[in-house]
Amino acid sequence: MTAKDYLKEFLSNEGYRFEENPDSGHISFKFEGIKYVFLNNSGKQLLQIAILFYDVNEDNRFAVLEACNKVNSDKAMVKLTADEDTVWANWEDIVPEDGYPLARIDMALNMLKTAFNLFYETIGD
């Protein structure tokens, strides 16, 4: 199975609705009120789940970078990045073709949510 197959199995088993973009192959879904995206662009066995969630501009760029640094230093396996206009949290795992424990996906979603919450706690919004 591919990473996408494992994610779709997890989402279906847990009763989550999801949308798959026919052009990119990306999958989007909501988990506890937060929209997540599976990025289908780095190989069939890479499970990459991200949240794009905060607008970056000239006025808040320094505070955003400081909040990202705090989360990155406090949390393992989840990394926050601030690009030109958005903050995104990213979690990645390499999955085998057989025998990937779907509980790792639930763990990933919770880790991303925790990092998301810590970012907002740190930045004060």
Side-chain angles (χ1 to χ4, degrees):
M1 287 176 48
T2 67
K4 183 194 287 189
D5 295 332
Y6 282 115
L7 179 64
K8 288 167 78 173
E9 180 179 337
F10 170 81
L11 294 171
S12 295
N13 289 350
E14 297 298 319
Y16 291 106
R17 290 182 287 175
F18 60 90
E19 296 178 10
E20 184 172 355
N21 182 308
D23 297 324
S24 66
H26 298 339
I27 294 173
S28 61
F29 59 96
K30 282 194 175 180
F31 172 74
E32 297 185 8
I34 301 170
K35 185 177 180 179
Y36 293 75
V37 178
F38 163 77
L39 302 172
N40 186 46
N41 60 3
S42 297
K44 291 182 179 184
Q45 298 316 118
L46 179 65
L47 179 57
Q48 183 178 18
I49 303 172
I51 309 169
L52 289 82
F53 66 94
Y54 196 86
D55 292 334
V56 180
N57 58 49
E58 286 185 34
D59 295 332
N60 68 7
R61 182 166 305 280
F62 184 76
V64 164
L65 292 173
E66 288 293 313
C68 288
N69 284 340
K70 166 105 173 97
V71 173
N72 289 340
S73 67
D74 287 356
K75 300 296 174 194
M77 296 183 66
V78 174
K79 295 302 169 214
L80 271 57
T81 303
D83 63 17
E84 291 184 26
D85 60 0
T86 305
V87 173
W88 54 284
N90 186 62
W91 182 90
E92 298 174 345
D93 202 7
I94 302 294
V95 302
E97 290 183 13
D98 296 312
Y100 185 73
L102 296 180
R104 285 187 60 84
I105 297 173
D106 185 57
M107 177 192 71
L109 299 179
N110 283 300
M111 292 175 91
L112 283 162
K113 181 182 173 204
T114 299
F116 170 91
N117 289 335
L118 180 56
F119 175 87
Y120 276 102
E121 180 182 306
T122 301
I123 203 155
D125 280 357

